[in-house]
Amino acid sequence: MTAKQVIESGKAILGIEFGSTRIKAVLIDEQNKPIAQGSHEWENQLVDGLWTYSTEAIWYGLQDCYADLRRDVQRQYDTEIESLAAIGFSAMMHGYMAFNEKQEILVPFRTWRNTNTGKAAAELSELFHYNIPLRWSISHLYQAILDNEEHVPHIKYLTTLAGYVHWQVTGQFVLGVGDASGMIPVDPHTKTYDGVMVAKFDKLIASKNYEWKLLDILPKSLNAGENAGFLTPEGALKLDVSGHLKAGVPVCPPEGDAGTGMVATNAVKQRTGNVSAGTSSFSMIVLEKELSKPYEPIDIVTTPDGSLVAMVHCNNCTSDINAWVGLFKEYQQLLGVPVDMNELYGKLFNKALEGDTDCGGLMAYNYVSGEPVTGLQEGRPLFVRSANDKFNLANFMRSHLYGAIGVLKIGNDILLKEEHVKVDRITGHGGYFKTAGVGQRMLAAALNSPISVMETAGEGGAWGIALLAGYVVNNPKGLNLADYLEEVVFAGNTGTEIAPTEEEVEGFNRYIENYKACLGIEKAAVEFKS
């Protein structure tokens, strides 16, 4: 069938992902190929010292994104979306959305970006003998308990952003196991919340005499492919305010952006990995066995089908690069030169390839917000150089591209050099890789490993959650998720691979040693309150 026929017959599948700066919708056909898309730009707000998005912004953003998708369908195919074969929702992982029994939000959504949970995360890590990151839901919950916040006794539901949207449009309070593993650790054998840790937590807070136990307020954890409900009539209107979209569409388990990134890069099998690099960055390597001990920079989460994954999560990636490119845009406009942002990014990124492999001594810290891996609770974007460094445009751009993945390298060095984790394939996706061959080459140098990028890399997590939705309804052979992706979706396509040269690896290593040595400058900037 043509794309128009697929849409009109109700066989198209929709994936929507709430990213940090953009909500994106991707419509795919029965062959899993994108046929239309929509988007909505948004930004988090700092309210009372915490990063948040309002519930009004969530729903307006979702509706505007879907409306943009409808316009794209009308423009390309002169038709309307009336029905769909399946839908999936995903979002940035972790964070804290707490609701009372009336499903009213008790405090503003606390996103992954917040780093106020240090005391809670440290105590829970010791209690569980397991690294509990600052951004996990259990850290936010326990910090609220430690701070004696008034809303805690009234919690009836606790979920993530993806879980919240799914709940409101289907009536099902559930969560995909990958996203669930960012609330409290998941037992890879049971594919649900770790019973021992849940019991320890309940005992820890028993003296508070809350009416709830932890499992009372958490969503049910579901595996990829399981039935997670259907779009209700109210949910259909929450998504499509025009009223064209019919209810009854199957909806897959909601997932976090880490899980959808693994799916979009065919990296759910053991010994595969992926790096997602956009506003934030994270690497995911699917483990053959548990690590020898907990490491603070490394989170253990799961794939959407419950396999253990070592995750290095960095709060910052491309935001500072975007700010500098914005400055170059202003300069072009000042000169009266028309600005094509894709061309501007492309030229500046490619210029970085001409730079010295160690950036000529230039140093960039992209810390718009705090960075737990390097021990920073707040951020100050910095560009640092000495008088004798090679200060030119190529090195300037290269230093920012290196800086965007510097923290990622620090975390992955633990996995690859200390734990000797074996990886057969690492695939990159996200905005960092949009300019062909540039970010890919930088990451290859950072990890001293070949990096693959697929043509679909730009589709990102929205495509990934669409694939998970398709897995629910288009898997007649009953394949497991890894085989479904390998045989049905990707059919052996591993993308374009770039391997680093020895000189590039050595250059990045020199850069990262300088980077670590100069972290005191960043810490001093944070300590200086202006």
Side-chain angles (χ1 to χ4, degrees):
M1 290 191 291
T2 65
K4 181 175 182 177
Q5 290 170 328
V6 169
I7 294 168
E8 291 180 339
S9 64
K11 293 185 177 179
I13 295 168
L14 175 61
I16 297 180
E17 180 157 282
F18 290 75
S20 302
T21 59
R22 184 169 66 147
I23 304 170
K24 184 174 180 180
V26 170
L27 199 66
I28 65 174
D29 62 17
E30 292 178 293
Q31 282 70 48
N32 303 297
K33 301 292 191 299
I35 54 176
Q37 64 179 30
S39 66
H40 169 82
E41 305 291 326
W42 71 338
E43 282 289 345
N44 53 192
Q45 305 296 318
L46 191 62
V47 178
D48 296 328
L50 295 172
W51 292 104
T52 187
Y53 301 84
S54 68
T55 53
E56 293 80 8
I58 291 167
W59 292 111
Y60 174 75
L62 176 65
Q63 292 160 2
D64 188 56
C65 177
Y66 186 84
D68 193 44
L69 173 72
R70 285 183 60 233
R71 287 191 292 271
D72 190 41
V73 167
Q74 290 163 353
R75 182 170 55 249
Q76 287 196 72
Y77 310 113
D78 190 28
T79 193
E80 181 63 68
I81 305 170
E82 301 280 354
S83 184
L84 293 163
I87 302 177
F89 297 97
S90 62
M92 47 194 135
M93 288 179 72
H94 322 305
Y96 183 80
M97 298 193 80
F99 300 84
N100 63 19
E101 62 181 9
K102 297 180 181 179
Q103 299 186 18
E104 298 165 333
I105 196 162
L106 292 167
V107 289
F109 167 37
R110 296 172 182 177
T111 78
W112 57 269
R113 181 164 249 175
N114 291 295
T115 54
N116 63 306
T117 54
K119 180 174 174 58
E123 290 188 14
L124 292 174
S125 295
E126 184 176 355
L127 177 68
F128 297 155
H129 191 59
Y130 203 95
N131 180 43
I132 304 298
L134 301 179
R135 66 188 181 283
W136 280 17
S137 305
I138 196 70
S139 295
H140 284 280
L141 174 61
Y142 188 47
Q143 190 66 52
I145 292 170
L146 291 176
D147 294 340
N148 293 309
E149 292 195 37
E150 293 181 359
H151 76 275
V152 176
H154 307 292
I155 296 174
K156 179 70 174 178
Y157 307 96
L158 179 64
T159 189
T160 66
L161 177 54
Y164 167 63
V165 173
H166 180 98
W167 175 34
Q168 295 301 301
V169 301
T170 66
Q172 300 298 309
F173 192 61
V174 299
L175 205 56
V177 63
D179 206 7
S181 69
M183 298 197 78
I184 187 171
V186 160
D187 183 333
H189 303 293
T190 63
K191 313 289 187 185
T192 190
Y193 307 107
D194 187 292
V196 173
M197 295 186 198
V198 167
K200 285 183 176 181
F201 184 82
D202 284 338
K203 183 178 179 181
L204 177 67
I205 65 168
S207 63
K208 297 290 185 177
N209 294 314
Y210 299 133
E211 292 185 3
W212 53 263
K213 293 282 199 300
L214 186 57
L215 290 184
D216 296 336
I217 62 174
L218 294 182
K220 181 182 179 182
S221 174
L222 296 178
N223 256 1
E226 288 193 72
N227 181 356
F230 299 88
L231 192 66
T232 62
E234 299 80 9
L237 277 174
K238 276 181 173 285
L239 180 58
D240 179 11
V241 294
S242 75
H244 284 89
L245 182 62
K246 295 181 175 65
V249 180
V251 188
C252 72
E255 267 298 347
D257 49 3
T260 58
M262 286 185 272
V263 171
T265 53
N266 191 19
V268 300
K269 276 188 176 178
Q270 291 181 357
R271 293 175 64 115
T272 63
N274 81 91
V275 170
S276 174
T279 305
S280 63
S281 70
F282 50 81
S283 64
M284 315 286 293
I285 295 178
V286 188
L287 300 173
E288 295 179 280
K289 59 181 181 179
E290 294 188 38
L291 300 182
S292 64
K293 61 180 181 179
Y295 293 91
E296 189 171 343
I298 298 170
D299 311 341
I300 302 298
V301 291
T302 77
T303 62
D305 58 350
S307 294
L308 289 179
V309 177
M311 178 182 190
V312 177
H313 183 280
C314 311
N315 281 358
N316 304 280
C317 186
T318 59
S319 293
D320 197 34
I321 294 175
N322 294 340
W324 282 105
V325 174
L327 196 67
F328 288 116
K329 172 190 173 183
E330 285 189 47
Y331 175 67
Q332 275 193 235
Q333 291 172 327
L334 187 65
L335 295 179
V337 179
V339 178
D340 180 318
M341 291 306 290
N342 287 331
E343 181 184 22
L344 183 57
Y345 271 99
K347 285 189 179 298
L348 289 171
F349 272 46
N350 277 295
K351 187 67 178 177
L353 294 176
E354 301 173 19
D356 297 308
T357 58
D358 64 354
C359 305
L362 308 185
M363 192 65 52
Y365 293 96
N366 64 337
Y367 295 10
V368 174
S369 63
E371 197 57 83
V373 173
T374 46
L376 275 296
Q377 290 202 359
E378 294 182 44
R380 301 286 186 275
L382 289 178
F383 172 67
V384 181
R385 68 185 179 99
S386 68
N388 296 323
D389 290 338
K390 298 178 184 177
F391 184 39
N392 55 43
L393 181 59
N395 281 337
F396 177 84
M397 286 307 302
R398 195 175 187 114
S399 71
H400 280 86
L401 285 165
Y402 275 18
I405 55 173
V407 178
L408 197 70
K409 175 178 172 57
I410 292 170
N412 275 278
D413 278 352
I414 295 171
L415 291 174
L416 302 176
K417 295 181 179 180
E418 296 183 32
E419 287 284 333
H420 305 291
V421 170
K422 303 298 182 187
V423 189
D424 297 328
R425 183 181 74 239
I426 298 177
T427 307
H429 72 115
Y432 185 81
F433 303 102
K434 190 171 183 179
T435 302
V438 180
Q440 188 178 359
R441 184 166 290 282
M442 305 297 171
L443 184 63
L447 301 186
N448 190 17
S449 171
I451 303 296
S452 295
V453 171
M454 300 181 185
E455 289 182 9
T456 50
E459 303 299 340
W463 185 58
I465 192 65
L467 296 180
L468 285 171
Y471 180 58
V472 174
V473 295
N474 289 338
N475 184 23
K477 295 181 181 178
L479 298 172
N480 64 43
L481 181 60
D483 288 342
Y484 176 79
L485 294 175
E486 190 74 37
E487 298 175 22
V488 177
V489 176
F490 292 93
N493 175 26
T494 57
T496 303
E497 184 178 272
I498 290 180
T501 65
E502 187 175 331
E503 181 185 7
E504 288 169 333
V505 173
E506 290 176 354
F508 203 107
N509 284 337
R510 288 196 298 275
Y511 176 91
I512 207 66
E513 289 309 311
N514 286 337
Y515 182 101
K516 290 187 285 188
C518 294
L519 272 170
I521 303 172
E522 175 69 24
K523 291 175 181 176
V526 169
E527 289 166 4
F528 179 75
K529 303 285 187 181
S530 59

